[in-house]
């Protein structure tokens, strides 16, 4: 049985249709109107996620410099520090930064030579006078960075938050290994 035609002819859109299309249009215009902060700065202002990723890359690069300074000052620590340094270099790469120079391996005779070649003249990369202080300084730096990264997780998109949490956990493990081995 066929349905009867509507009792009135539709000459104009209904009120609900107009409201729905107006709301949808406002949402689309709000998302792409160009009046957001990134457009005001010529599209040059990075998002919060991009800023977090860049900061994580810088932090990993700074930590890498600390490892390199300690390795240059105390070549006897190479077997213990080179694997941790290699992970920090991978963290820097994962966040989009350069991982530093070639990652030295503990079995390579030039492990300390390649590590010392990448030492920069930054003030944060100066090594303490003795090995125990150097290790505790690295452990403190790893712990502080892991804490900052954990605190920065709130509000980040899923994949970046997972990466940051994973690297923070690795940093906490590095701090543990550096302090436990010093005892």
């Amino acid at each position: 049985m066929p349905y009867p035609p509507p009792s009135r002819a539709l000459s104009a859109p209904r009120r609900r249709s107009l409201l729905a299309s107006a709301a949808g249009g406002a949402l689309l215009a709000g998302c792409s109107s160009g009046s957001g902060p990134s457009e005001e700065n010529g599209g040059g202002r990075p998002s919060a996620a991009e800023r977090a990723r860049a900061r994580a890359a810088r932090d990993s690069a700074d930590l890498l410099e600390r490892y390199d300074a300690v390795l240059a000052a105390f070549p006897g620590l190479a077997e213990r520090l080179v694997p941790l340094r290699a992970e920090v270099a991978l963290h820097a790469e994962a966040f989009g930064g350069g991982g530093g120079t070639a990652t030295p391996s503990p079995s390579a005779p030039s492990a300390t030579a390649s590590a010392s070649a990448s030492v920069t003249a930054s003030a944060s990369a100066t090594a303490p006078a003795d090995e125990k202080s150097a290790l505790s300084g690295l452990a403190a730096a790893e712990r502080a960075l892991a804490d900052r990264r954990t605190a920065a997780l709130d509000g980040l998109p899923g994949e970046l938050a997972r990466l940051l949490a994973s690297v923070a956990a690795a940093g906490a493990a590095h701090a543990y290994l550096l302090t436990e081995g010093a005892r």
Side-chain angles (χ1 to χ4, degrees), residues 50-65:
E50 291 168 339
R51 289 190 308 271
R53 184 179 291 275
R55 179 180 172 122
R58 279 191 314 273
D59 288 345
S60 290
D62 291 346
L63 187 59
L64 193 60
E65 287 179 8

Side-chain angles (χ1 to χ4, degrees), residues 63 67 80-81 83-85 87-88 91 135 138-147 149-150 164-182:
L63 187 59
Y67 272 95
R80 183 170 177 191
L81 296 182
L84 301 177
R85 181 207 180 273
E87 285 191 18
V88 171
H91 298 162
L135 290 174
L138 278 174
E142 286 272 17
R143 197 174 302 108
L145 184 54
D147 291 344
R149 286 177 170 164
T150 302
L164 200 61
S166 175
V167 172
H174 290 180
Y176 174 79
L177 291 171
L178 289 166
T179 56
E180 286 303 307

Side-chain angles (χ1 to χ4, degrees), residues 51-127:
R51 289 190 308 271
R53 184 179 291 275
R55 179 180 172 122
R58 279 191 314 273
D59 288 345
S60 290
D62 291 346
L63 187 59
L64 193 60
E65 287 179 8
R66 288 186 70 125
Y67 272 95
D68 287 343
V70 171
L71 282 167
F74 304 106
L77 294 175
E79 184 176 339
R80 183 170 177 191
L81 296 182
V82 166
L84 301 177
R85 181 207 180 273
E87 285 191 18
V88 171
L90 290 173
H91 298 162
E93 289 176 22
F95 288 118
T101 60
T103 305
S105 68
S107 61
S110 64
T112 56
S114 62
S116 63
S118 64
V119 174
T120 63
S122 75
S124 67
T126 58

Side-chain angles (χ1 to χ4, degrees), residues 32-59:
S32 62
S33 68
S35 62
S38 63
E39 293 294 323
E40 290 172 1
N41 294 337
R45 184 173 179 203
S47 70
E50 291 168 339
R51 289 190 308 271
R53 184 179 291 275
R55 179 180 172 122
R58 279 191 314 273
D59 288 345

